Amino acid sequence: MIVGVLGGGQLGRMLALAGYPLGLKFRFLDAVRDVPAAPLGRRITAPFDDKDALTRFARGTDVVTYEFENVPVDSAAFAESFAPVFPPPKALATAQDRLSEKELFTRLGIPVPAYAPVSSPEDLAAAVERIGLPAVLKTRRFGYDGKGQWVLRTPEDVEGARLAAGGGTPLILEQFLPFDRELSIIAVRSRSGELAFYPLVENHHREGILRLSLAPAPHLSAAVTAEAESHARRLLEALDYVGVLTIEFFEYQGRLYANEMAPRVHNSGHWTIEGAETSQFENHLRAILDLPLGGTAVLGAAAMVNLIGALPDLGPCYAGRDVHVHLYDKKPRKGRKLGHLTVRAANPAELAERLAPVRALVEAAGG
Amino acid sequence: MIVGVLGGGQLGRMLALAGYPLGLKFRFLDAVRDVPAAPLGRRITAPFDDKDALTRFARGTDVVTYEFENVPVDSAAFAESFAPVFPPPKALATAQDRLSEKELFTRLGIPVPAYAPVSSPEDLAAAVERIGLPAVLKTRRFGYDGKGQWVLRTPEDVEGARLAAGGGTPLILEQFLPFDRELSIIAVRSRSGELAFYPLVENHHREGILRLSLAPAPHLSAAVTAEAESHARRLLEALDYVGVLTIEFFEYQGRLYANEMAPRVHNSGHWTIEGAETSQFENHLRAILDLPLGGTAVLGAAAMVNLIGALPDLGPCYAGRDVHVHLYDKKPRKGRKLGHLTVRAANPAELAERLAPVRALVEAAGG
C-alpha cells in the first residue's frame, strides 16, 4: 500500500516512521526539496498547485493525506480523482478559515469565545463595541504559531489596528478569555466510523508557540473529559471526518471553549509516540486505511518538550531517565520547531522529577 | 551523521526506523536490490566483497555497522579504512565460527555444553565416544535458523552422519542438553564502555526458528539474571565490544549454558520496540555513536510473536488490545520471517490473556 502525503515536514516524517512497520510505502509532495520527510519516501518537489506534479504524486497511491493545514483545498480535491483523500477536503476548507470554523463550532453547540468577522475599520469598531476588550484580532486564513494575531487591550490598540482592518485581508475579532489553561484533545475516526480519543493534554505556549504538553492533563475532571469528547464526536461526525483531528480548548471557569481545530496529527500529540499504547501517527494511518484503531491509553504519564530555534545539549537529554529524542533534521532558525523530547514516567510525580532537568536544558538553549 | 549498515534486511530496516528520530541518515550495502531496508536510506546494491562498492558505501559515513552476521569479516575490516566499524570485526569473526565461539566462552568461564571439532569420520567417532548421545552435529560456519544442524540420537544417526563428517566442511559436535528452556540476554556496550542489559527473555523455537519471546522470562530467579549478566559483561569486555550483543542460553538444572552469541541486534529483542524504555535498535545506535545508553526496563510485560512463512489475518491483530504489527515488506516463502507482532500488557497475567488470541491467529496462518 502506498500513502501519498501532501507536505513533507516533521509531521510527514513521523507519519512515515509510524507507517513502515505496517508495511506501508510513502510519497511526499512538497515545494521544498530538503524537507524532514525527504529520506523516508519518494519525493516530488513542486508547488501544491502544479497539476502535473499532483498527478504524478497521486496516481498509483492507495490513499492521500496531508500533514500541513495550509495545503490548497483545490489540490486536495484534485488528488481525489486518483485516490481517496482523508481527512475530507471540506474539513480542510473549514479549518483554513477561522470564521467558518467558529460558525461550525457554534452550529454544533460547541462553546467558543464571542467573535465577529472584520473586513473594514467600521466592522472593527462595531465588533469591539459588541465583544469588548481585551480581544484578539486574527487573520481568518493562514495563521500559525501565533502569527497573524494582535491582542487589543486598549482603545489605542484598537485605533492602531484600524489600518489592518482596512487592508483587504479578512479578519476575525475574538473575545480574549482570561482562561485558566489550554487543553487539547486528539481524536480519531476511521473510514468505518470507529472513534477513539486520547486523554486531554495540558499545553503551555510562549510567544505563540507550543513549548510543553503534559499527558494526561493534571487535575482533570471526568466532566471536562466527557465534554471534550462530546464536542470532538459531534465535530468528527458532522464533517464525516476520517483521520486524526485535534481541537484546542481554553478552560475557563470549569468549562471548555474551542479555540481552533487542526485537521491532522498535531504537535500536542507527539507524546503519544512513546507515551500512549498507539501513537497518533499510527492511528491516523489506521483510520485512513480503514484498519481497527489502536488503543489510546497513556502509559503512566508523559510530557513533550518542543525544541524551538536552537538545540539544547543533547548528551544530558540522552542520559536522562526515559527521555526520548526526536530531531527533524531542520536547520536552526529563530522560532523554528527543530525537534521534541518526550519524557515518560510511571506517574505524574516521577514525571515532574524527570522533566525538571530536561526543561532546564531546553531553557538554557534559549530557543 | 550518516550510519552505514552492511546488510539491508529487517534488522537494518528497524535500525533506520529507530535512528531517524535521533537525526541520523542511513546507507545500506546489500547484494539484493529490494531488501526490507531499501526505502529507508541510500542503497548500494553489490556483493559484500566488491571493494569499489564498499568504498562508495563507507566513504563519508560517520560509523559503519552490520545487521547480518554472515557479512565477510574482510569486508567489515576493509570499511575500517573509511570509518569506525562496530561491533569490532574480531567479534564478527568469533561469532562466525562455532568453535572459536565455544572456545572463547570456555576461556571466559562461561559454561557451554560439551563440544568437539569434527573434520573427519574418525573425529566424529571420537567426539561421540567422549560426549555421548544425544548430540548435535553442526556446521561451524554460516548456520542460521536451525539450518546446518543434525540431531544424532542413535548409533544409526551417527553412521548416517559419517558422510557429512568427511565432506570437507568443518563441523562441531555438541552435547544435546535436555534443557528446561531457552533464554537470551540482549546486552549493550557503548564506545565509552557503558554497559546495559535487558531483562532475560524466554524463547520458543519450532523447526529451528524462533516463534515466541516472553519478556521478562517468567519465573526468573535473581541468581540466573546475575549469572547471565556476569557472562555477558565478561564477553563484551573481552571483545572490547561496542553495540548490542545477544547470548542465547540453555537453562538446565538451574544453570545457564551458552549456546551461541549474535554480534548484532537480535530477533529475541524485537519486543523492546514497544516493550522497553529504549529499544535494542536505538541502544545499538547510541552505543556505536558513543551516546549515553537508554534505559532497558520492561514496561509491564511483553511478548513477541514471529510471522513465519505466511501472514495471518491482520485485521483481528490490529483490533487486539496493545498489539503492534511489524511487517518487513518481504514476499511470503516457507520458513521466512515476514514480520512480527508485539503484545504488551501491564503484567504477565494480562499479557497471557491478550497473547492467546494472537497466537491462535498466527498458528491458523500455518507459517
Side-chain angles (χ1 to χ4, degrees), chain B residues 5-293:
Chain B
V5 184
L6 292 162
Q10 62 263 25
L11 302 178
R13 178 176 170 102
M14 291 185 274
L15 276 172
L17 290 172
Y20 278 100
L22 313 185
L24 306 175
K25 288 195 158 63
F26 288 84
R27 266 186 218 172
F28 299 96
L29 176 66
D30 201 291
V32 178
R33 203 180 147 74
D34 285 325
V35 285
L40 291 167
R42 193 178 137 200
R43 172 189 48 186
I44 295 164
T45 306
F48 290 123
D49 58 0
D50 176 334
K51 290 279 159 64
D52 285 348
L54 270 170
T55 302
R56 271 183 295 135
F57 161 78
R59 197 193 293 279
T61 60
D62 293 283
V63 65
V64 166
T65 189
Y66 41 89
E67 59 99 54
F68 174 60
E69 77 203 56
N70 289 332
V71 162
V73 175
D74 283 352
S75 303
F78 180 80
E80 282 187 313
S81 24
F82 302 98
V85 176
F86 297 116
K90 75 173 169 198
L92 185 62
T94 304
Q96 284 179 357
D97 182 345
R98 291 183 188 279
L99 182 63
S100 320
E101 198 177 67
K102 289 278 190 306
E103 286 172 348
L104 177 62
F105 288 151
T106 304
R107 201 160 67 241
L108 296 173
I110 302 172
V112 293
Y115 66 91
V118 171
S119 308
S120 67
E122 295 70 38
D123 285 354
L124 178 62
V128 169
E129 178 71 25
R130 184 159 74 75
I131 292 168
L133 293 181
V136 195
L137 188 64
K138 300 180 178 177
T139 55
R140 276 172 53 182
R141 300 171 62 83
F142 305 123
Y144 72 98
D145 284 352
K147 290 183 171 63
Q149 303 196 9
W150 303 269
V151 179
L152 311 183
R153 296 180 189 279
T154 63
E156 291 69 40
D157 291 341
V158 177
E159 196 51 39
R162 280 178 58 91
L163 200 66
T169 303
L171 303 172
I172 184 172
L173 188 76
E174 297 175 12
Q175 176 189 12
F176 185 97
L177 279 187
F179 57 83
D180 301 311
R181 59 175 174 173
E182 294 180 61
L183 298 170
S184 64
I185 190 166
I186 314 281
V188 54
R189 183 172 180 270
S190 77
R191 282 160 81 162
S192 307
E194 187 187 351
L195 286 165
F197 306 100
Y198 289 91
L200 280 170
V201 168
E202 179 179 300
N203 299 318
H204 297 258
H205 291 76
R206 203 175 66 240
E207 295 159 5
I209 306 174
L210 180 66
R211 305 284 166 158
L212 171 72
S213 294
L214 296 172
H219 313 297
L220 203 59
S221 74
V224 165
T225 295
E227 195 181 332
E229 292 185 2
S230 156
H231 294 339
R233 175 177 289 112
R234 287 202 301 288
L235 189 57
L236 290 164
E237 288 174 351
L239 290 166
D240 198 13
Y241 195 88
V242 174
V244 162
L245 176 137
T246 307
I247 314 178
E248 293 183 38
F249 293 106
F250 298 126
E251 191 181 28
Y252 177 55
Q253 297 181 333
R255 291 215 58 193
L256 297 177
Y257 294 81
N259 176 32
E260 60 181 46
M261 70 183 201
R264 53 166 170 78
V265 288
H266 191 260
N267 197 167
S268 70
H270 291 358
W271 63 273
T272 60
I273 296 176
E274 293 90 6
E277 205 173 291
T278 313
S279 79
Q280 65 165 345
F281 301 99
E282 178 171 339
N283 260 337
H284 182 76
L285 294 168
R286 289 190 186 209
I288 66 176
L289 293 162
D290 206 16
L291 292 169
L293 298 179

Side-chain angles (χ1 to χ4, degrees), chain B residues 303-333:
Chain B
M304 189 284 308
V305 180
N306 264 339
L307 304 178
I308 309 290
L311 292 181
D313 181 2
L314 288 170
C317 296
Y318 281 112
R321 184 75 205 279
D322 220 345
V323 177
H324 300 272
V325 174
H326 294 261
L327 302 178
Y328 307 152
D329 198 17
K330 288 160 80 173
K331 290 211 172 56
R333 195 171 68 199

